[in-house]
Amino acid sequence: MAKRSKKMTIVDIAAASGVSVSTVSRILNNKPDVAEETRQRVLQVIAEHRFAPQSAWQQIKAGRSRVITLHYPQDFNQPSHDIITGAAVGCQEAGYTLNLIAAPLSDTELLALYDRGHTDGVILMEILTHDPRVDLLRGHDLPFVMIGRCADQGNLSYVDLDIGAGVAQAIAHLYEL
């Protein structure tokens, strides 16, 4: 079995291209201050080696993970395919990745998602009337939105169906029939 070659780094790309690491960095970040011939040579080396820059450094530099977490504890009922798909597409269009967590999280685990830089925000699903996750995230002033609503939704962002209005419309429709 052939040995797998080591993963190329920006240093390796610079050496193979005959340029400095900062030049490769400027090219990767689409900075305009690189000669077109140099840019093309470096891009060719990148393509030949199938180099994919790690986003970790960019994430550290920006102080953002570029990840949104959707927390859907499955002990309630099956997840809505449309909601999860919509969240994934919306995140992708905004340049984020969606991380789905389908297990209950302790307070420590939920806060650790933020503290360790694993997420920039959380979408909470299956909201309870008095949801401890909402109280926890609100108490720490962390960014989150809810799909569903709780008893005290003051100054909170949420999306929900108006079940009462839907039932009223259904009854009115049946009455008309």
Side-chain angles (χ1 to χ4, degrees):
M1 178 180 266
K3 257 190 173 177
R4 187 172 179 205
S5 60
K6 79 171 189 133
K7 184 174 174 25
M8 295 289 286
T9 67
I10 192 171
V11 174
D12 299 324
I13 295 298
S17 304
V19 299
S20 68
V21 171
S22 62
T23 298
V24 175
S25 176
R26 287 195 309 276
I27 292 167
L28 290 173
N29 289 302
N30 292 318
K31 301 291 182 187
D33 58 342
V34 178
E36 189 57 32
E37 181 180 318
T38 302
R39 181 180 304 276
Q40 291 309 313
R41 185 172 72 244
V42 171
L43 290 174
Q44 179 65 35
V45 170
I46 287 171
E48 287 171 3
H49 293 282
R50 296 188 346 214
F51 174 72
Q54 292 188 4
S55 60
W57 175 245
Q58 293 169 332
Q59 292 167 347
I60 290 168
K61 206 166 91 170
R64 305 187 70 85
S65 67
R66 306 297 297 167
V67 172
I68 299 296
T69 298
L70 188 146
H71 184 223
Y72 189 98
Q74 285 189 332
D75 53 330
F76 292 102
N77 58 37
Q78 290 299 312
S80 168
H81 181 266
D82 291 342
I83 291 173
I84 294 171
T85 302
V89 169
C91 285
Q92 184 177 351
E93 288 173 352
Y96 282 79
T97 298
L98 180 69
N99 176 30
L100 174 64
I101 297 177
L105 294 173
S106 69
D107 289 359
T108 303
E109 292 168 327
L110 184 53
L111 291 175
L113 292 172
Y114 292 91
D115 295 341
R116 294 184 182 145
H118 294 164
T119 194
D120 291 337
V122 172
I123 302 167
L124 297 175
M125 291 183 68
E126 292 297 321
I127 301 299
L128 301 173
T129 303
H130 299 286
D131 198 309
R133 299 171 302 166
V134 172
D135 296 335
L136 178 71
L137 297 178
R138 179 190 271 174
H140 284 85
D141 197 30
L142 294 168
F144 70 98
V145 297
M146 303 178 298
I147 298 180
R149 55 187 160 168
C150 56
D152 177 17
Q153 60 238 11
N155 295 324
L156 294 178
S157 297
Y158 68 92
V159 176
D160 200 5
L161 298 174
D162 189 342
I163 301 297
V167 170
Q169 288 177 349
I171 291 171
H173 177 71
L174 288 174
Y175 177 75
E176 292 293 322
L177 294 176

